[in-house]
Amino acid sequence: MAFVANQDDTTLTTVRLDGKATPVISTLSLGPPQADAIGGVAFSLGEWIFVTNSTTNTVATIDPISATAPILEEFLVENPLDTRVKIGQRPTRIYRDPVDKEVLWTMNDGDPTSGLDTVANCTKGGSVSVLHNSHLGVGGGDKPRVTSIVCLSGKGEHRIAFVGPPVVPEEVAFVSSSATGLVSVLLPVATADESIAWSEFSLKIDLCDSTKELSLGHPVCDTDATTPNHSLPSGLFWSRATGKIYAHLAGYQSVAEIDPGSLSITRRVDVAADLQQAEIMPDGRHLFMMGVDLTSDPSKIIGKLELLDLTQGTLTLTGARVDHVWPAQFRLTPDGTRLYLTLVNRTSGLTPQQAAAMKKDKLMVFDMTIFPTPFRAVAEVDLPPVGVLGAHGLDVWATGSSGAGSAKGIVVTNAPHGANGSVSLIDASTNTITGTIPVGRNPKQVSVYYAGLVASDNQATPTW
């Protein structure tokens, strides 16, 4: 099944993927209609679905397998045994813990103006909340609950990366804060009842670079990690190949390598300013980056797809260029062999020639085994048009060997601005649309789920 987030309705529509019955199973309300309130969707090993609502400061918990339609169990707000332990203010992204896959983490970005989590009374920045659940159907198992909250020393959008044994003695969580430009280090703390709480370590990783600050017209860095800088971390990833953490610093147009043992920055490399998205490849050997060149050629836009090799002594980018393409959302299959890419339709700021030639309303399929040359799309799937202000989201239905699955199908949302949208189901073997299903307003996000997905480690990248 696929869970479709209808952002203008604040609802979640469940769509069948097997074609055996009526395609729409149900639609659940996740709160009062509020544009873009749904922050993220995540699955746990215990076969629960978690959906954040950044307006109501709640997390919806959904049982997807105990009945013919998913059951909305409750909205998590706080731990009834300790009301100080709660979902923080404006939960946006939600991540599954890779060490204990029954644990979920919400990034609570706090008040949009001050950057402080006023719900959790954080005085320096936002927060993260930790959730736990047990397997459905297990005798004595617990329903999802909030188990910990940690106030952060940084403000802005938060992203998280996890490092576990044997790289470090016990699991450590690293959380970046975009407006402050630091990485908080979160450590597990055993409680009296033998459960785990989390706490921010006194040492923070300062992403400040004096050379970059001076080049941007700002003073050099000081010795206080909580002094805001202009690094603007926009991605944080752990590499299984190197054991290191990599921060994409959009403000500095660079990538920083962090040693999780010494909690220090070990390498930096400059990247192009127009590389705006990054994600770790499934094997951890490369950082995948993408963006668009809008200025070098007035007759066309040029999509940029790059791989940063993390395993070499020198961090080096290798890239491919795709004419007339403005990358939007992407997914990589667990085996790393296929890249699925939707495109931006927006033409504002483009020359007439660029706007006329750019590709719109397409799903592009690339073979990553031949990157970077002769790199070209192996398929282009025409999607229902959504207009210049519309968007297409996507996810991949991946099956196969554990952690190395390939695509069985692709689910693409078609979200015209301010109107009801649809979902297109695509057969991965033929790259053809097998059906298009009406859903709610502005369905910009979709997540494919099946029982056993987390256990098989076959969710497409990125997973948050």
Side-chain angles (χ1 to χ4, degrees):
M1 64 184 75
F3 292 96
V4 182
N6 304 305
Q7 287 289 7
D8 285 357
D9 297 333
T10 315
T11 60
L12 195 71
T13 297
T14 306
V15 176
R16 297 186 68 99
L17 301 182
D18 58 13
K20 293 181 179 179
T22 303
V24 174
I25 299 174
S26 67
T27 296
L28 300 172
S29 172
L30 300 183
Q34 176 69 45
D36 295 321
I38 299 174
V41 179
F43 318 133
S44 73
L45 184 64
E47 309 299 353
W48 287 91
I49 314 298
F50 296 81
V51 188
T52 61
N53 187 318
S54 60
T55 300
T56 59
N57 303 326
T58 59
V59 175
T61 61
I62 299 169
D63 173 356
I65 62 175
S66 293
T68 56
I71 302 168
L72 175 58
E73 289 285 352
E74 63 178 318
F75 293 98
L76 294 180
V77 177
E78 60 190 18
N79 188 315
L81 300 180
D82 186 349
T83 57
R84 297 171 301 174
V85 178
K86 61 184 65 179
I87 303 298
Q89 185 174 9
R90 209 156 55 95
T92 52
R93 295 170 179 81
I94 182 167
Y95 297 79
R96 180 174 59 249
D97 192 311
V99 176
D100 185 344
K101 297 178 182 180
E102 290 186 344
V103 172
L104 287 298
W105 296 67
T106 67
M107 306 294 104
N108 310 318
D109 290 346
D111 180 83
T113 302
S114 70
L116 301 178
D117 185 341
T118 61
V119 170
N121 296 318
C122 297
T123 59
K124 296 180 179 180
S127 71
V128 298
S129 297
V130 185
L131 320 177
H132 192 272
N133 69 99
S134 299
H135 285 282
L136 290 173
V138 176
D142 296 320
K143 287 187 175 182
R145 60 202 183 279
V146 189
T147 61
S148 187
I149 185 167
V150 184
C151 286
L152 302 171
S153 294
K155 301 177 181 179
E157 294 183 355
H158 305 298
R159 290 169 170 83
I160 194 167
F162 305 90
V163 182
V167 177
V168 290
E170 57 183 352
E171 184 182 17
V172 180
F174 295 80
V175 181
S176 64
S177 299
S178 62
T180 306
L182 62 73
V183 176
S184 296
V185 181
L186 307 187
L187 303 176
V189 179
T191 63
D193 61 358
E194 298 184 352
S195 61
I196 296 294
W198 290 81
S199 178
E200 185 184 49
F201 186 43
S202 57
L203 176 64
K204 287 82 179 172
I205 300 171
D206 193 349
L207 298 173
C208 195
D209 182 325
S210 289
T211 300
K212 294 289 187 181
E213 291 292 321
L214 287 171
S215 72
L216 295 171
H218 304 293
V220 298
C221 309
D222 62 21
T223 57
D224 185 353
T226 63
T227 300
N229 59 61
H230 300 84
S231 60
L232 193 63
S234 60
L236 196 68
F237 316 98
W238 176 71
S239 165
R240 69 178 67 198
T242 68
K244 304 291 178 59
I245 289 174
Y246 297 87
H248 177 214
L249 308 180
Y252 288 165
Q253 302 165 25
S254 67
V255 172
E257 180 186 75
I258 300 170
D259 184 334
S262 65
L263 305 180
S264 61
I265 296 175
T266 50
R267 291 191 290 180
R268 296 180 187 258
V269 61
D270 289 339
V271 299
D274 50 21
L275 293 175
Q276 294 299 311
Q277 294 191 58
E279 179 60 50
I280 198 76
M281 289 291 288
D283 64 4
R285 295 182 58 85
H286 297 87
L287 191 67
F288 173 70
M289 307 188 76
M290 71 178 193
V292 63
D293 176 359
L294 303 177
T295 59
S296 67
D297 190 332
S299 69
K300 64 184 177 181
I301 62 172
I302 306 169
K304 300 177 68 173
L305 308 176
E306 306 266 0
L307 288 179
L308 179 64
D309 191 337
L310 307 176
T311 64
Q312 300 301 312
T314 300
L315 295 172
T316 305
L317 277 167
T318 302
R321 302 293 180 264
V322 186
D323 289 347
H324 313 301
V325 165
W326 189 338
Q329 292 191 28
F330 69 95
R331 289 293 186 274
L332 292 155
T333 54
D335 63 8
T337 65
R338 282 291 185 271
L339 167 68
Y340 295 91
L341 183 69
T342 62
L343 307 180
V344 172
N345 281 3
R346 185 173 69 253
T347 58
S348 59
L350 303 184
T351 68
Q353 297 91 338
Q354 289 174 326
M358 73 180 292
K359 297 180 180 181
K360 307 181 186 73
D361 298 307
K362 291 184 182 292
L363 173 72
M364 303 195 72
V365 186
F366 295 95
D367 181 356
M368 294 299 289
T369 65
I370 60 172
F371 190 91
T373 56
F375 197 63
R376 61 188 181 278
V378 298
E380 294 185 14
V381 183
D382 291 324
L383 302 171
V386 297
V388 295
L389 297 179
H392 297 283
L394 82 160
D395 201 8
V396 174
W397 180 8
T399 62
S401 302
S402 179
S406 58
K408 182 174 183 178
I410 306 96
V411 184
V412 178
T413 65
N414 311 301
H417 179 68
N420 285 350
S422 63
V423 173
S424 294
L425 310 182
I426 299 170
D427 184 335
S429 64
T430 61
N431 293 311
T432 56
I433 295 177
T434 59
T436 296
I437 303 159
V439 290
R441 288 188 302 156
N442 203 7
K444 293 192 294 187
Q445 181 180 353
V446 61
S447 302
V448 172
Y449 166 83
Y450 55 84
L453 172 61
V454 176
S456 70
D457 197 24
N458 265 333
Q459 193 170 356
T461 300
T463 60
W464 49 265

